[in-house]
Amino acid sequence: MKNTQALESIFAQSRPGQRTARFPQCDVADTPVDSLIPCEHLAGKTLPLPELAEIDLVRHFSNLPQLNMSVDTHFYPLGSCTMKYNPKRNEAMAASPKLQGLHPYQPENTIQGQLRIFFELQQMLGEIAGLPAVSLQPAA
């Protein structure tokens, strides 16, 4: 049975007045925040944080992993550990008929679009990681 609550954002589950914890009265004298932190570093308004009961918060974070492919909840025949933990969206993209139809020995002149995607991905990953080059070669 699929838990659809995990599909709702934490903000959609928010209910005014719900709290995960209630703290005891503070025994330290109140000090205005603006006397401790310069005003230019303070937020102009209170952040709109979600209000949830503790059980709802626990359920939310417990259900998030169900959105990913999981070796605990899905059949995954052999393969590298890296493949087993790819997010579902990556699996869906890899299952695209346009990608599945490619053959390893297909002539290069028929796959220029895919080669361009791979090249640009390598460039982006290298830039993000601060490396002169990266490889898309599978580790396993």
Side-chain angles (χ1 to χ4, degrees), residues 81-95:
C81 295
T82 306
M83 291 167 56
K84 290 178 186 174
Y85 294 105
N86 279 332
K88 287 182 180 180
R89 68 173 162 251
N90 295 354
E91 295 292 329
M93 281 205 260

PDB file of all heavy atoms in Angstrom, residues 81-95:
ATOM      1  N   CYS A  81      26.157  -1.037  -6.573  1.00  0.00           N
ATOM      2  CA  CYS A  81      25.461  -0.310  -5.505  1.00  0.00           C
ATOM      3  C   CYS A  81      25.037   1.067  -5.997  1.00  0.00           C
ATOM      4  O   CYS A  81      23.982   1.565  -5.640  1.00  0.00           O
ATOM      5  CB  CYS A  81      26.370  -0.163  -4.290  1.00  0.00           C
ATOM      6  SG  CYS A  81      26.752  -1.742  -3.530  1.00  0.00           S
ATOM      7  N   THR A  82      25.866   1.677  -6.831  1.00  0.00           N
ATOM      8  CA  THR A  82      25.536   2.999  -7.349  1.00  0.00           C
ATOM      9  C   THR A  82      24.233   2.944  -8.132  1.00  0.00           C
ATOM     10  O   THR A  82      23.378   3.805  -7.996  1.00  0.00           O
ATOM     11  CB  THR A  82      26.661   3.495  -8.278  1.00  0.00           C
ATOM     12  OG1 THR A  82      27.884   3.425  -7.575  1.00  0.00           O
ATOM     13  CG2 THR A  82      26.422   4.915  -8.728  1.00  0.00           C
ATOM     14  N   MET A  83      24.063   1.907  -8.947  1.00  0.00           N
ATOM     15  CA  MET A  83      22.844   1.789  -9.738  1.00  0.00           C
ATOM     16  C   MET A  83      21.631   1.591  -8.848  1.00  0.00           C
ATOM     17  O   MET A  83      20.548   2.085  -9.130  1.00  0.00           O
ATOM     18  CB  MET A  83      22.962   0.617 -10.714  1.00  0.00           C
ATOM     19  CG  MET A  83      23.967   0.866 -11.824  1.00  0.00           C
ATOM     20  SD  MET A  83      24.387  -0.614 -12.738  1.00  0.00           S
ATOM     21  CE  MET A  83      22.808  -1.180 -13.274  1.00  0.00           C
ATOM     22  N   LYS A  84      21.793   0.875  -7.751  1.00  0.00           N
ATOM     23  CA  LYS A  84      20.664   0.581  -6.881  1.00  0.00           C
ATOM     24  C   LYS A  84      20.123   1.827  -6.189  1.00  0.00           C
ATOM     25  O   LYS A  84      18.964   1.861  -5.805  1.00  0.00           O
ATOM     26  CB  LYS A  84      21.065  -0.444  -5.824  1.00  0.00           C
ATOM     27  CG  LYS A  84      21.287  -1.811  -6.392  1.00  0.00           C
ATOM     28  CD  LYS A  84      21.732  -2.759  -5.309  1.00  0.00           C
ATOM     29  CE  LYS A  84      22.098  -4.102  -5.910  1.00  0.00           C
ATOM     30  NZ  LYS A  84      22.651  -4.998  -4.930  1.00  0.00           N
ATOM     31  N   TYR A  85      20.934   2.828  -6.025  1.00  0.00           N
ATOM     32  CA  TYR A  85      20.503   3.983  -5.258  1.00  0.00           C
ATOM     33  C   TYR A  85      20.240   5.213  -6.122  1.00  0.00           C
ATOM     34  O   TYR A  85      20.118   6.309  -5.612  1.00  0.00           O
ATOM     35  CB  TYR A  85      21.518   4.295  -4.160  1.00  0.00           C
ATOM     36  CG  TYR A  85      21.554   3.172  -3.145  1.00  0.00           C
ATOM     37  CD1 TYR A  85      22.599   2.272  -3.100  1.00  0.00           C
ATOM     38  CD2 TYR A  85      20.488   2.987  -2.276  1.00  0.00           C
ATOM     39  CE1 TYR A  85      22.601   1.228  -2.193  1.00  0.00           C
ATOM     40  CE2 TYR A  85      20.480   1.953  -1.372  1.00  0.00           C
ATOM     41  CZ  TYR A  85      21.538   1.078  -1.331  1.00  0.00           C
ATOM     42  OH  TYR A  85      21.520   0.050  -0.434  1.00  0.00           O
ATOM     43  N   ASN A  86      20.144   5.064  -7.428  1.00  0.00           N
ATOM     44  CA  ASN A  86      19.798   6.194  -8.288  1.00  0.00           C
ATOM     45  C   ASN A  86      18.359   6.614  -8.026  1.00  0.00           C
ATOM     46  O   ASN A  86      17.488   5.768  -7.857  1.00  0.00           O
ATOM     47  CB  ASN A  86      19.939   5.822  -9.767  1.00  0.00           C
ATOM     48  CG  ASN A  86      21.361   5.893 -10.240  1.00  0.00           C
ATOM     49  OD1 ASN A  86      22.160   6.658  -9.708  1.00  0.00           O
ATOM     50  ND2 ASN A  86      21.694   5.101 -11.225  1.00  0.00           N
ATOM     51  N   PRO A  87      18.084   7.905  -7.998  1.00  0.00           N
ATOM     52  CA  PRO A  87      16.705   8.357  -7.799  1.00  0.00           C
ATOM     53  C   PRO A  87      15.797   7.885  -8.935  1.00  0.00           C
ATOM     54  O   PRO A  87      16.244   7.638 -10.043  1.00  0.00           O
ATOM     55  CB  PRO A  87      16.823   9.881  -7.811  1.00  0.00           C
ATOM     56  CG  PRO A  87      18.244  10.167  -7.511  1.00  0.00           C
ATOM     57  CD  PRO A  87      19.032   9.001  -8.041  1.00  0.00           C
ATOM     58  N   LYS A  88      14.517   7.800  -8.635  1.00  0.00           N
ATOM     59  CA  LYS A  88      13.553   7.307  -9.614  1.00  0.00           C
ATOM     60  C   LYS A  88      13.531   8.147 -10.889  1.00  0.00           C
ATOM     61  O   LYS A  88      13.344   7.628 -11.973  1.00  0.00           O
ATOM     62  CB  LYS A  88      12.161   7.274  -8.999  1.00  0.00           C
ATOM     63  CG  LYS A  88      11.971   6.177  -8.002  1.00  0.00           C
ATOM     64  CD  LYS A  88      10.548   6.185  -7.484  1.00  0.00           C
ATOM     65  CE  LYS A  88      10.363   5.071  -6.475  1.00  0.00           C
ATOM     66  NZ  LYS A  88       8.999   5.051  -5.957  1.00  0.00           N
ATOM     67  N   ARG A  89      13.719   9.457 -10.775  1.00  0.00           N
ATOM     68  CA  ARG A  89      13.653  10.287 -11.978  1.00  0.00           C
ATOM     69  C   ARG A  89      14.775   9.931 -12.942  1.00  0.00           C
ATOM     70  O   ARG A  89      14.605   9.971 -14.145  1.00  0.00           O
ATOM     71  CB  ARG A  89      13.648  11.767 -11.631  1.00  0.00           C
ATOM     72  CG  ARG A  89      14.940  12.273 -11.055  1.00  0.00           C
ATOM     73  CD  ARG A  89      14.894  13.798 -10.890  1.00  0.00           C
ATOM     74  NE  ARG A  89      15.947  14.173  -9.973  1.00  0.00           N
ATOM     75  CZ  ARG A  89      15.736  14.587  -8.759  1.00  0.00           C
ATOM     76  NH1 ARG A  89      14.529  14.742  -8.302  1.00  0.00           N
ATOM     77  NH2 ARG A  89      16.745  14.886  -7.975  1.00  0.00           N
ATOM     78  N   ASN A  90      15.963   9.558 -12.402  1.00  0.00           N
ATOM     79  CA  ASN A  90      17.059   9.141 -13.271  1.00  0.00           C
ATOM     80  C   ASN A  90      16.711   7.828 -13.956  1.00  0.00           C
ATOM     81  O   ASN A  90      17.044   7.617 -15.119  1.00  0.00           O
ATOM     82  CB  ASN A  90      18.350   8.987 -12.470  1.00  0.00           C
ATOM     83  CG  ASN A  90      18.830  10.307 -11.909  1.00  0.00           C
ATOM     84  OD1 ASN A  90      18.266  11.359 -12.194  1.00  0.00           O
ATOM     85  ND2 ASN A  90      19.859  10.266 -11.101  1.00  0.00           N
ATOM     86  N   GLU A  91      16.054   6.939 -13.212  1.00  0.00           N
ATOM     87  CA  GLU A  91      15.638   5.666 -13.789  1.00  0.00           C
ATOM     88  C   GLU A  91      14.627   5.914 -14.913  1.00  0.00           C
ATOM     89  O   GLU A  91      14.670   5.266 -15.949  1.00  0.00           O
ATOM     90  CB  GLU A  91      15.016   4.768 -12.717  1.00  0.00           C
ATOM     91  CG  GLU A  91      15.987   4.335 -11.641  1.00  0.00           C
ATOM     92  CD  GLU A  91      17.056   3.394 -12.161  1.00  0.00           C
ATOM     93  OE1 GLU A  91      16.796   2.626 -13.102  1.00  0.00           O
ATOM     94  OE2 GLU A  91      18.170   3.440 -11.625  1.00  0.00           O
ATOM     95  N   ALA A  92      13.708   6.840 -14.690  1.00  0.00           N
ATOM     96  CA  ALA A  92      12.696   7.140 -15.699  1.00  0.00           C
ATOM     97  C   ALA A  92      13.346   7.717 -16.957  1.00  0.00           C
ATOM     98  O   ALA A  92      12.969   7.368 -18.082  1.00  0.00           O
ATOM     99  CB  ALA A  92      11.662   8.107 -15.133  1.00  0.00           C
ATOM    100  N   MET A  93      14.335   8.603 -16.790  1.00  0.00           N
ATOM    101  CA  MET A  93      15.015   9.169 -17.951  1.00  0.00           C
ATOM    102  C   MET A  93      15.782   8.100 -18.709  1.00  0.00           C
ATOM    103  O   MET A  93      15.766   8.064 -19.933  1.00  0.00           O
ATOM    104  CB  MET A  93      15.962  10.284 -17.511  1.00  0.00           C
ATOM    105  CG  MET A  93      15.258  11.578 -17.241  1.00  0.00           C
ATOM    106  SD  MET A  93      16.350  12.950 -17.442  1.00  0.00           S
ATOM    107  CE  MET A  93      16.789  13.337 -15.809  1.00  0.00           C
ATOM    108  N   ALA A  94      16.449   7.224 -17.983  1.00  0.00           N
ATOM    109  CA  ALA A  94      17.220   6.163 -18.626  1.00  0.00           C
ATOM    110  C   ALA A  94      16.311   5.178 -19.356  1.00  0.00           C
ATOM    111  O   ALA A  94      16.744   4.505 -20.288  1.00  0.00           O
ATOM    112  CB  ALA A  94      18.062   5.431 -17.588  1.00  0.00           C
ATOM    113  N   ALA A  95      15.049   5.096 -18.935  1.00  0.00           N
ATOM    114  CA  ALA A  95      14.100   4.180 -19.569  1.00  0.00           C
ATOM    115  C   ALA A  95      13.441   4.796 -20.805  1.00  0.00           C
ATOM    116  O   ALA A  95      12.618   4.144 -21.449  1.00  0.00           O
ATOM    117  CB  ALA A  95      13.029   3.763 -18.558  1.00  0.00           C
TER     118      ALA A  95
END
